[in-house]
Amino acid sequence: MPHSQSTQLTLVQPLLQLRRSLATLDVEALARRSGFLRRRPRKIPIPDLLLAFCALAWESVLSLERIAAVVGLAAGCSYSKQAFHQRLSKSIETFLGEVAAALFGQMSAPLRCANCFKSFGRVLLHDSTVQPLPRHLAAAFPGSSNQRCPTRAALKIQWICDLLSGSLVQLSLSSYRRNDQAAAPDILSVVQKGDLVLRDLGYFVLPVLSQLHLKGAFFLSRLRHGLILRDPQTKAPIDLLRILRRQGAFDRWVLVGNQQAPMRVVALAVPEEIANRRRARAKNNRDRRSAPSRQRLELMSWTIFVTNVSSEVWTRKIIARIYRLRWRIEIIFKSWKSHLRLRELNCRSADLVRLSVMLKLLYGLLTISCFGALDKLSSASHRPSLLRFSKVLGQCGVLIGAILLQISPDQLIAHYLAKHVFYEQRSDRKNFSQRLAELSCRLA
């Protein structure tokens, strides 16, 4: 079979699998649990509604008219935008989040080189990304504000996935003001014994790390500056900077913070160029409350980690390499924003923003699923790039929508032409053709 044809079939299979999953998934139970469905649907079955959502997810700025037309196409009946608008509520965010976790529990191929993770059940990556919104949405999604500027609007997406299996674990939306520290306990509802949690410094909350340890889970994070470190035997404070000046590195179990939680602290030297960039960023921080002390500036010559994984499992040299894998989430976020139109939202109302974001995320998850199918069949010397793959699929939305709806691209385009290119019949205003016809009649 030609390589191009084999690749095409590889990409079609996840789309067909999505249809099969929708047919077997108890989506009505998910809809009732989330509050999106309160009575038995009279006209549009929930699986058909979700199939239409997936087929629509690639589009730039979704309108109620377009959504209603494709929902009707998927269900094989007529459906008005007014009827859909009545069903639209805040609960759609929770509903689509649960559907996404159920449909895309396996997003991509399992990690091939996972020897350093053989001691763990899952490797959970937790991160967030922010999407600015128009200012009129500030009541629903309040963003930053200061004395000179009124409150802005911004949406934050919290994302937890398993690096090893390539599965989505949790997806949620919030306002910008629910910062990552406030979202840190979210991991406790999904973590299991034996899991490893990788998160950046923004999620550092010492009580949450202690709870992870009590649950039998493991973690790796950067250490927040300013916490007191104590010797486990004597309880005496440890002068970390003094030890680093003398020895150049640090790897010990210590008691961290006022809770005196036992943790392993590892400090690794970084190149002077990186240390100087860190100092420059710290000094240029506009928040005067964050002015760095001389001690903090000197400590920027090291990257300081905190973990509860023993040195028998990880040597200190491998810790920094493992932590860099956290950037996989950043690549995913970049693919969504740069190539899959996450920035192009219907911002007329808060509920339409929630729907638009969740549909964009569905398309992003579908893209990762297709990427995983291709990556699984690729050789070690010829691996696909997620960013380049997302750029291609971002331009193939009509084809993907046609495959999901099981119609030809010609039929889908014909449907769009029939439903979306003609003027609406309105009694409160006249279109250009009507005005031109009136003018012609008066002149005749």
Side-chain angles (χ1 to χ4, degrees):
M1 181 182 296
H3 183 265
S4 59
Q5 187 176 357
S6 175
T7 300
Q8 180 182 358
L9 291 176
T10 300
L11 299 182
V12 169
Q13 288 305 316
L15 303 179
L16 299 180
Q17 178 59 43
L18 177 61
R19 283 187 60 94
R20 292 191 290 269
S21 298
L22 281 173
T24 58
L25 186 65
D26 191 358
V27 290
E28 285 198 14
L30 294 178
R32 292 184 188 281
R33 188 168 64 194
S34 65
F36 179 69
L37 181 65
R38 291 190 172 89
R39 56 180 173 79
R40 189 172 184 82
R42 300 176 187 174
K43 192 173 185 179
I44 306 296
I46 297 297
D48 291 338
L49 180 69
L50 289 173
L51 185 63
F53 282 170
C54 293
L56 281 163
W58 65 275
E59 298 201 21
S60 53
V61 180
L62 289 168
S63 66
L64 290 175
E65 180 187 26
R66 181 67 60 86
I67 295 170
V70 177
V71 169
L73 181 62
C77 63
S78 61
Y79 192 56
S80 69
K81 62 182 181 180
Q82 292 82 4
F84 178 75
H85 186 260
Q86 290 177 355
R87 298 188 66 172
L88 194 59
S89 66
K90 185 178 180 180
S91 59
I92 199 167
E93 172 195 329
T94 304
F95 171 53
L96 291 179
E98 293 187 3
V99 168
L103 289 178
F104 299 99
Q106 183 73 32
M107 293 188 299
S108 60
L111 198 67
R112 299 186 186 185
C113 299
N115 291 334
C116 55
F117 298 126
K118 62 183 180 181
S119 301
F120 311 106
R122 298 181 297 175
V123 178
L124 301 183
L125 303 182
H126 187 185
D127 209 341
S128 66
T129 186
V130 176
Q131 177 58 40
L133 298 173
R135 193 162 286 169
H136 70 268
L137 292 168
F141 302 104
S144 61
S145 63
N146 53 47
Q147 295 178 346
R148 298 181 181 179
C149 183
T151 301
R152 299 180 177 88
L155 174 78
K156 178 167 282 193
I157 301 169
Q158 293 287 346
W159 164 276
I160 303 176
C161 66
D162 178 14
L163 178 66
L164 294 186
S165 67
S167 60
L168 171 67
V169 177
Q170 189 179 84
L171 178 64
S172 63
L173 308 181
S174 67
S175 76
Y176 173 82
R177 291 188 180 178
R178 186 176 187 257
N179 60 25
D180 290 342
Q181 281 198 357
D186 292 357
I187 196 73
L188 298 175
S189 64
V190 296
V191 74
Q192 300 172 6
K193 184 178 180 180
D195 287 347
L196 170 68
V197 177
L198 296 179
R199 301 197 289 189
D200 65 23
L201 188 57
Y203 291 90
F204 189 97
V205 178
L206 196 56
V208 174
L209 296 181
S210 298
Q211 290 182 62
L212 288 174
H213 183 71
L214 291 175
K215 284 177 171 286
F218 300 90
F219 56 83
L220 175 61
S221 171
R222 296 274 297 277
L223 179 67
R224 193 182 73 211
H225 178 74
L227 290 174
I228 298 175
L229 306 182
R230 297 180 183 275
D231 183 273
Q233 280 74 42
T234 66
K235 304 295 191 301
I238 295 174
D239 189 340
L240 180 61
L241 181 57
R242 181 183 176 187
I243 295 174
L244 289 173
R245 286 170 179 163
R246 186 174 64 251
Q247 299 180 2
F250 185 90
D251 186 357
R252 296 185 196 174
W253 284 85
V254 300
L255 303 178
V256 180
N258 294 329
Q259 291 182 318
Q260 299 190 20
M263 297 178 185
R264 180 186 174 197
V265 172
V266 179
L268 303 172
V270 300
E272 192 62 23
E273 180 184 356
I274 294 177
N276 288 336
R277 284 205 300 265
R278 291 176 177 177
R279 296 183 184 108
R281 283 197 301 267
K283 291 176 180 178
N284 292 332
N285 194 324
R286 291 178 296 178
D287 189 348
R288 295 179 180 178
R289 296 171 298 179
S290 301
S293 63
R294 291 181 60 184
Q295 181 191 50
R296 185 176 182 183
L297 290 174
E298 190 171 352
L299 281 171
M300 289 179 183
S301 293
W302 292 268
T303 298
I304 307 173
F305 299 100
V306 61
T307 184
N308 61 341
V309 180
S310 69
S311 57
E312 287 77 19
V313 178
W314 285 347
T315 64
R316 70 186 184 193
K317 291 183 178 180
I318 202 173
I319 284 181
R321 295 170 61 187
I322 290 172
Y323 190 73
R324 280 197 291 269
L325 295 176
R326 185 185 55 80
W327 281 94
R328 184 61 172 175
I329 285 190
E330 302 298 335
I331 298 297
I332 291 173
F333 290 158
K334 185 176 180 179
S335 71
W336 291 350
K337 292 186 174 184
S338 300
H339 304 308
L340 300 180
R341 301 185 177 93
L342 181 59
R343 294 187 176 98
E344 299 175 12
L345 306 173
N346 187 329
C347 295
R348 295 193 65 179
S349 69
D351 287 338
L352 281 172
V353 167
R354 292 186 183 96
L355 176 63
S356 297
V357 170
M358 295 307 294
L359 293 193
K360 301 294 183 186
L361 295 179
L362 280 177
Y363 194 60
L365 293 169
L366 183 59
T367 299
I368 297 173
S369 180
C370 294
F371 173 81
L374 180 61
D375 185 53
K376 189 175 182 180
L377 298 179
S378 302
S379 65
S381 61
H382 194 64
R383 302 292 292 277
S385 158
L386 178 59
L387 283 177
R388 301 184 74 176
F389 182 84
S390 299
K391 185 176 182 179
V392 171
L393 254 66
Q395 300 168 347
C396 299
V398 172
L399 299 177
I400 292 174
I403 293 172
L404 289 173
L405 296 170
Q406 290 198 325
I407 59 178
S408 70
D410 291 348
Q411 289 174 307
L412 184 56
I413 292 174
H415 168 80
Y416 282 150
L417 292 175
K419 296 291 185 180
H420 303 296
V421 303
F422 296 98
Y423 286 116
E424 289 184 281
Q425 297 298 321
R426 303 186 60 153
S427 59
D428 60 334
R429 69 179 69 171
K430 296 178 181 179
N431 59 51
F432 173 78
S433 298
Q434 290 171 334
R435 293 182 181 276
L436 185 62
E438 282 185 354
L439 183 60
S440 299
C441 289
R442 292 174 182 172
L443 294 177

